[in-house]
Each structure stands twice: as structure tokens, then as C-alpha cells.
Amino acid sequence: MGNEAFLQTALSCLPTPRERRLPSRRCLRLTREEGEIRREEITPGPLKKGESLVFDFGDHQVGRLSLKLGFTGSHPDAPAWLRLQFAEQPSELFEKAEDYRGWISTGWIQQEQLHVDVLPCTLELPRRYAFRYVKLEVLDVSSKYSLTVEEAVCRALSSAEEGSLTPLNSGDPLLDRMDAVACRTLHNCMQRVFEDGPKRDRRLWLGDLRLQALASYESYKNPEMVKGCLYLFAALPRKDGLLSAAIFLEPEPEADDTYLPDYSMLFVPALLDYYRFSGDMETLRELWPTALRQLEIARSRLQNGVFPDCDRLGWCFIDWSLELNKQAALMGVYLYSLKAAQKIAELLGDGRLLELRNCWSAGAEAARTQFWEKDRACFVSGPERQVSWASQIWMILGGVLPDGEAAALLERMEEQQALGMVTPYLYHHYVQALLNLGQREKALQVLRSYWGGMVEAGADTFWELYNPENPGESPYGGAIVNSYCHAWSCGPAYFLRKYQLRQTPERKL
Ligand code: RAM
């Protein structure tokens, strides 16, 4: 049951990515010794069987590859058999697809094997890839000729308006670099919709969209594209009005049959943020029933005032930690979304404002009674009474504690044995909680150490997952399918610009 008018509005707002032609900057030989990857610049020569080279496009790109191929020696008397590997990070070139034993499709691994029958030629690869490096390996030619590569070109795609971006110029090289990497991440995820990651899953996810939209308001400023994405979700609800967690665009727009209770509720703050940036009252009014419906459905699932333990609710996201109990955090998302709903009701003069206030008060009270543990002085979640950062962060964002207590709780957490955060998605909410509490210096410190850690590790774009304690971590059973340009990590562009976070000269953070 789709809403055709909403779908038409959505499609009319979505951009067509523009193409830019970028030749490879240089050729490299990459080697790995004791885990360290070494790069050596080389001048490409004719390639024989078993030889390879790596094209470096200088920065992370999303686009199609063309190779101008030729030969030396006799007329080719056998096809050139090639393997191409596309990598966002050099480490991907040292992993073998055959070794991946995880639970998501190996179809995401960006590699091809192909035969070229006629040389010279221009080889145009039909698929769009996300990469900075491309390794070309000659699996075979013949003893009578060698392969030459005269040109490697990326036809790069993005719908981000380059000219609309002003540099941060904070005066601090690390902050400037973090902002530039964050903007590049967003830039390359801005295709027809805000994709989660151009390598994987290449699709619009609701939770990711909200954070991308925030960063885009401060950087590329394209509210029309956000509007299109919000309408896409609203156009394709489940029968009962619940929004899907993700939307496929092709061959026809269709909702994914994955439903994440936290994501569907976050449609409400996403709509409010959009209104705040654009002032578009018509969209606010038109999408408000969809937003409100997410909270009605959530409310109907409450038992004893709170959500049952998440297993009974189906998958709920919050973070990519496989050990995380999400019951308390989900309650925080509900309360946070209820607060946004109250703001919208105020703006629209909706008579249900009082009811929304009452729902929030009852929910906050139930959360305090059922999740606050006096002895440990923090929130716990699930039957195992798990202590995690996720629970504290979302309870604070939900407004369950007065500011002073919330700030003290976050400080105490640093001393506690608590389940940590693994994605920039949850870290984003941590930084937001700190900023809501006026903890600007601490927020900057977290940005520096977490996102700065990725910069130090050589990130051109920010990653889907980064656990400083376990750099090779993957929720998918193998880092080869991890995405290294993941838009939910573009938070620094939002925080540094919106809150004007800068180093205070007298204090090194
Ligand atoms: C991952 C996606 C996306 C996220 C979902 C829940 O598979 O890459 O970023 O929103 O999980």
C-alpha cells in the first residue's frame, strides 16, 4: 500500500548525480611486512603473466572505471585474462575473498575477473565501485606479448554540489582534516539518495539518513534531497503505517522488509531537523501523520510502561555490537522521539500536544523505575542487567535525567566496566549527548580521539565501524565486507560547523 502522491514528490526531489572525469594520480607497488603496508611509487611498464600494479586515484572515489589497454610484442594471440580489485583502504588488497566466512554476501567484495579478446581497446567496466585504489593483476597473457595500460580513468559520481562547500578553516590542522574527511564521506554517499555506504549497502537507511541530513545542512546544504528521502520512506510504509528501515530504488522504489523499531521512530526527529533547516512548513504538515504513526505503533508495544526485551521486538539497531542488550536504549530513542514530536505538535498547533507530553512523562518515569540501578548508579538493560554506554547515552538524549545528573553519569561511566561503543553511529549520539549537556571540551576530546584515530590510521573517508581497541573488528565476520566510506560517520562536519568547536588556546584537549 504505497502513497503515489508522496512517491511522485520524492522522485521529483531526488537529484541525478553528476559525473567528473578523474585520471589515476600514480601507480604503486604495495607490500605488507609485519602488518605494515608500504607504498612505493612505480612507473608502469609492460605487464607479463603474474605481474600487477595498483592505481592510486589520490582520494576516495565513487564511480566507473575505464582502462585504455594496449600491448607490446607480437600481435596478441590469446586473450588477456585480468583480475581487478577495488579498495577503499589498502588493507582490503591483502585480504582474500575466498577466506571470508561471514554471514553477509560475498557479492559485496569489489573484484572482477575478465577476459579481453581484442587489444588495443578501452575497457569500460559497467559496475559502479567505491575505491581509492585499483589493483590490476595479469592472470595470463601469452609468451608473445605483454599488456600495457595507457590510462586509467574514474568517471566519479556524486550529487553533492562542490561549489557550495566552504572550508572549515579552524586554524587547527587535525580539526580541518577531520572536517574534510567527513565532508568527503558525505560527498561520496550523496548519490541519487543518501546512501549508507557506496561500497555496501548502497541504499537509503533511515537511521543513517538522519545523521547525513544533519551534516549536509552544515556543509553541502541540499534540503531538497533530504525532503526526497523523507517522502520516499513515507510513500512506502507497511500496511499498519510502520516505516521500513531501508528503501531500494531499483528497479522500482520498494521498501526493504527489514523493520528496526529505533529507526522508524527516528523519522520524527529527522522530520523536525529538516523543518528547522528548511522552514518548509508544508512538508512538516504533510509528513506529520506518518511521523506520529511511528510513535503510536511504538506505544502499542509497551508492556508495563517499557518495551519488552528486544529479542521479542525483532531486530533493533542502536549499535553494531553483537553483545549489546538494547532494551533500555530503545526506550531512550522512544523518549527522544517523543520530545521531537512535542516540538512538531507545538509548531503545528496540534491538539495532541498534551497527550504527547503525558506519554513522555509516563515513559520517563517507567524508565527511571525499571532501568535505573541504584547500587551502580547507572541505567541497566535486559534481564542480565547489562551496563552499556548505549543505554546511558540514549536515556540522556531521551531527557530522563536532569542535566547535572546526566553529566555526572557520563563522567562516572569512564570509570565503570561498561559495554563500549563500536560504530561512529553510536559515538555520534555520545557527542550529541555531551553537547546537549554543554560539555563542549569533552565533546571535542571525543571527536579528536575517535574520529582523529581514523584520520591517523590514514582514513580518506570515515568508516562504518571503528573500535580503537580492535581495529580489525567486523560485525559481519570479516573486515573485507566492511564499508570504509560510511555516511553515519560524517558527524565531525556537523559538530565542528554547527557548534563551532575549536581548541581553546590555553588548554590542550
Ligand atoms: C548496515 C548498514 C547501515 C545500517 C544498518 C542497520 O548494514 O550499512 O548503515 O543502517 O546496517
Side-chain angles (χ1 to χ4, degrees), residues 103-104 195-197 200-209 245-246 258 260 263 315 317-318 320 425 464 476 483 486-488:
W103 58 275
I104 63 170
E195 294 184 6
D196 59 335
R200 208 217 77 244
D201 302 324
R202 302 167 57 140
R203 121 182 31 134
L204 174 67
W205 284 85
L206 189 35
D208 306 53
L209 166 67
T258 300
L260 299 174
Y263 276 21
W315 192 34
F317 183 63
I318 308 288
W320 254 132
Y425 177 78
E464 171 181 24
Y476 310 114
S483 150
H486 217 71
W488 69 19

Side-chain angles (χ1 to χ4, degrees), residues 240 293-303 307 334:
D240 59 357
R293 184 71 193 127
Q294 308 315 304
L295 294 175
E296 286 165 4
I297 294 172
R299 191 173 157 199
S300 71
R301 289 166 159 180
L302 297 177
Q303 289 174 18
F307 294 107
Y334 172 63

